[in-house]
Amino acid sequence: MAVIPIGRHSIMNGVWMDNTVQRNEKEVARFCTKLNRVFSKIGRAFVWQKHIVSENIKKAGFTDGLDVEVEDYLQKVSLLPHDCVANMELMADFVCSTEPTT
């Protein structure tokens, strides 16, 4: 299973039921657990997206709560110092945490 969901479809994240195997309640329950985990991580990825854009808006000096043009956002955020590895680790920790999405 993907640590961070790479798409909305279960197979993209390594979750599926083999149709050549005899299904039983245990196999179905295992599949449902894995699929629910993918859906939860997708939800957390969307929460992270909102969070990081809001943080970037503040760091770039825009007024919180006001609309920002995409071009202006991208230009100013590209000038901010960043550590790609650290940022990816923060996102992975957030997406993989067990806290509910809000």
Side-chain angles (χ1 to χ4, degrees), residues 33-93:
T33 298
K34 288 180 179 181
L35 193 57
N36 284 331
R37 194 174 306 137
V38 169
F39 292 155
S40 174
K41 287 181 178 185
I42 289 171
R44 294 207 45 83
F46 279 113
V47 171
W48 176 260
Q49 174 186 342
K50 287 182 174 182
H51 166 75
I52 201 64
V53 168
S54 178
E55 289 296 310
N56 287 341
I57 284 172
K58 292 173 194 172
K59 289 177 185 176
F62 294 108
T63 302
D64 194 29
L66 296 181
D67 289 343
V68 176
E69 296 289 329
V70 173
E71 185 177 342
D72 295 337
Y73 171 84
L74 294 174
Q75 193 273 329
K76 284 197 175 184
V77 169
S78 71
L79 300 175
L80 295 174
H82 62 277
D83 179 338
C84 292
V85 172
N87 291 343
M88 188 66 173
E89 288 174 353
L90 286 172
M91 182 182 72
D93 288 346

